[in-house]
């Protein structure tokens, strides 16, 4: 029996080698495909810009390719213009400026955009980015997000549709995050839980149960750096047991992250209970090498001035954010971000 188990372990190792090899081969094929589309886009763009090619020439090129390689897809007129757009987008002055500012790069480093960024995403992901983002900064944000969290095409589409970029910026510039030890770019405001299908009048227990049942989608929304540790996590203080809502460990922050759920608008006393839980986690659950625990208070709405006052003397790392169980139109979030930017400009 033991010999059979050893054989099975070795067999699984062989399967892992096969899977890793297939993954590397697929990645290499994808890299070559994206590079091909980029280079074709460059050629079409340069010919059109020089005036040597017009719309008719692009149509003829599409016909020529299809006659030579009838088995290939995506090389029709529309596909060729998408390749042209792909090349022009990522070599534009706007994107070069965003790349240099965000990553402290120089113009000489521009080829790295293609080799280290663009080729890591599937072509279908790039098509979503071209059609659903407006600015270079937004594109760069989603490219880095997709790479960091290894998002599939469908997962990236979901993040685009729920306006993660705008919601992350709203946290970055919002009074809800005031503790200097919290990297606010890892959090969002509001969080969108459209996948729960909760009734309008749901309880905190309903919300918690639905999030646990849809854990994969929940982690996609909050970020793939979160590793689930449990719900109703028991903490013993003195002779009493207390139960937290949702407890995670964040691999990048190297700390415990506690989500506490409230189905009503934020009240200052919510922070007292959250701080109590964080102190108990740090004393009895946190390991020596880990950083102080972070609390995320999810409320059904909040008054920003009340949050600012409540957080002003709060010493624990904490975030106060809204949650929604329905999709918020992207235009609404864009307008909200625009209004916040205008307020910041006035203060300056």
């Amino acid at each position: 029996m033991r010999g059979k188990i050893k054989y099975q372990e070795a067999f699984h190792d062989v399967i892992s080698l096969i899977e890793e090899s297939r993954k590397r081969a697929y990645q290499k094929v994808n890299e070559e495909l994206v590079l091909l589309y980029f280079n074709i886009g460059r050629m079409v763009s340069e010919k059109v810009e020089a005036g040597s090619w017009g719309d008719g020439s692009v149509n003829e090129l599409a016909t020529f390719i299809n006659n030579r390689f009838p088995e290939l897809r995506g090389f029709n007129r529309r596909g060729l213009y998408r390749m042209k757009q792909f090349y022009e987008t990522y070599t534009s002055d706007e994107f070069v400026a965003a790349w240099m500012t965000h990553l402290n790069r120089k113009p000489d480093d521009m080829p790295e955009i293609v080799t280290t960024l663009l080729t890591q995403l599937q072509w279908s992901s790039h098509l979503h980015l071209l059609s659903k983002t407006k600015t270079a900064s937004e594109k760069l944000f989603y490219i880095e997000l997709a790479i960091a969290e290894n998002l599939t095409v469908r997962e990236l589409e979901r993040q685009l549709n729920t306006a993660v970029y705008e919601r992350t910026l709203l946290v970055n510039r919002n009074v809800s995050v005031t503790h200097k030890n919290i990297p606010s770019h890892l959090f969002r405001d509001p969080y969108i839980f459209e996948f729960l299908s909760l009734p309008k009048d749901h309880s905190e227990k309903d919300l918690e149960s639905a999030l646990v049942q849809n854990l994969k989608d929940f982690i996609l929304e909050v970020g793939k750096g979160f590793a689930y540790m449990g719900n109703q996590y028991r903490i013993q203080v003195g002779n009493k047991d207390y139960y937290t809502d949702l407890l995670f460990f964040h691999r990048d922050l190297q700390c415990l992250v506690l989500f506490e759920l409230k189905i009503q608008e934020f009240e200052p006393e919510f922070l007292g209970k959250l701080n109590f839980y964080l102190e108990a986690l740090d004393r009895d659950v946190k390991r020596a090498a880990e950083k102080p625990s972070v609390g995320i208070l999810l409320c059904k709405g909040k008054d920003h001035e009340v949050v600012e006052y409540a957080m002003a003397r709060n010493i624990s790392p904490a975030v106060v954010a809204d949650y929604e169980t329905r999709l918020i139109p992207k235009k609404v979030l864009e307008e909200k971000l625009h209004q916040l930017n205008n307020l910041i400009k006035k203060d300056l």
Side-chain angles (χ1 to χ4, degrees):
M1 184 68 179
R2 290 181 179 176
K4 187 176 181 180
I5 293 174
K6 287 183 178 179
Y7 277 127
Q8 288 178 343
E9 289 176 354
F11 293 165
H12 283 296
D13 290 341
V14 172
I15 294 298
S16 296
L17 289 173
I18 294 172
E19 290 176 341
E20 290 172 6
S21 179
R22 291 178 63 180
K23 184 178 179 181
R24 288 195 300 271
Y26 175 79
Q27 289 174 339
K28 187 61 179 177
V29 169
N30 183 71
E31 288 176 13
E32 291 297 328
L33 191 65
V34 172
L35 282 171
L36 173 64
Y37 291 162
F38 184 85
N39 288 327
I40 291 176
R42 175 170 54 191
M43 182 177 290
V44 173
S45 176
E46 290 174 352
K47 294 290 185 182
V48 171
E49 180 68 23
S52 54
W53 281 13
D55 198 48
S57 301
V58 177
N59 288 335
E60 289 178 17
L61 174 60
T63 302
F64 186 82
I65 294 173
N66 289 325
N67 288 338
R68 188 71 178 270
F69 303 105
E71 73 279 6
L72 295 182
R73 296 182 179 180
F75 287 89
N76 53 20
R77 176 183 177 279
R78 184 182 180 188
L80 291 173
Y81 272 110
R82 279 179 171 175
M83 296 173 202
K84 176 176 178 288
Q85 181 190 7
F86 179 58
Y87 167 77
E88 292 174 348
T89 296
Y90 293 111
T91 57
S92 66
D93 292 341
E94 182 192 8
F95 193 85
V96 171
W99 162 262
M100 292 170 60
T101 301
H102 183 66
L103 298 177
N104 194 27
R105 300 285 186 169
K106 300 176 182 179
D108 294 342
D109 298 325
M110 280 303 295
E112 291 185 23
I113 291 178
V114 182
T115 57
T116 64
L117 287 181
L118 304 185
T119 55
Q120 293 190 54
L121 301 187
Q122 295 183 45
W123 179 243
S124 296
S125 294
H126 284 300
L127 294 179
H128 285 303
L129 288 171
L130 291 173
S131 63
K132 296 183 178 181
T133 59
K134 295 179 180 178
T135 66
S137 296
E138 186 179 2
K139 287 179 175 64
L140 190 56
F141 170 88
Y142 282 112
I143 290 171
E144 292 184 317
L145 178 68
I147 293 172
E149 300 193 356
N150 195 27
L151 298 181
T152 65
V153 175
R154 181 173 293 183
E155 289 170 345
L156 176 59
E157 183 181 16
R158 189 263 175 191
Q159 306 303 61
L160 287 161
N161 290 340
T162 58
V164 169
Y165 173 72
E166 286 82 3
R167 291 188 285 127
T168 302
L169 284 185
L170 285 170
V171 168
N172 289 346
R173 304 177 187 185
N174 202 300
V175 295
S176 301
V177 180
T178 60
H179 201 281
K180 63 181 180 180
N181 293 331
I182 300 180
S184 57
H185 68 276
L186 295 176
F187 304 99
R188 292 154 196 170
D189 188 15
Y191 286 91
I192 306 295
F193 304 141
E194 86 289 353
F195 49 84
L196 297 182
S197 301
L198 283 169
K200 184 177 181 181
D201 298 322
H202 57 270
S203 66
E204 288 173 8
K205 187 174 181 61
D206 292 335
L207 176 60
E208 181 183 329
S209 297
L211 288 175
V212 172
Q213 290 171 11
N214 295 271
L215 198 57
K216 181 179 178 181
D217 293 320
F218 177 67
I219 290 178
L220 175 61
E221 167 60 12
V222 298
K224 287 191 174 181
F226 288 90
Y228 180 61
M229 292 186 62
N231 67 301
Q232 291 299 302
Y233 193 91
R234 185 173 70 89
I235 299 174
Q236 187 175 28
V237 179
N239 295 320
K240 292 189 67 176
D241 289 338
Y242 298 88
Y243 295 89
T244 64
D245 287 339
L246 298 171
L247 184 63
F248 291 81
F249 184 80
H250 199 284
R251 292 178 296 172
D252 297 323
L253 297 179
Q254 285 295 295
C255 71
L256 297 167
V257 180
L258 174 63
F259 283 83
E260 281 295 298
L261 312 174
K262 300 296 179 182
I263 60 170
Q264 65 262 46
E265 188 172 309
F266 170 80
E267 294 290 345
E269 53 263 34
F270 295 164
L271 279 176
K273 189 174 183 181
L274 180 64
N275 288 332
F276 173 76
Y277 286 157
L278 293 176
E279 182 67 21
L281 287 171
D282 282 347
R283 290 194 188 193
D284 303 325
V285 182
K286 181 180 82 69
R287 295 179 179 177
E290 294 171 358
K291 296 179 181 178
S293 304
V294 174
I296 300 179
L297 194 59
L298 291 180
C299 302
K300 193 63 176 167
K302 62 181 183 292
D303 183 307
H304 293 290
E305 189 170 0
V306 173
V307 173
E308 183 182 9
Y309 273 61
M311 296 285 280
R313 301 193 180 190
N314 195 65
I315 60 173
S316 298
V319 177
V320 179
D322 292 341
Y323 77 89
E324 296 288 343
T325 56
R326 299 289 184 271
L327 284 178
I328 301 175
K330 186 178 175 71
K331 287 185 177 179
V332 173
L333 290 169
E334 288 176 345
E335 180 59 30
K336 191 174 181 181
L337 185 59
H338 179 69
Q339 291 173 356
L340 185 58
N341 286 334
N342 287 339
L343 287 174
I344 294 173
K345 289 178 181 177
K346 286 182 180 178
D347 291 340
L348 294 176

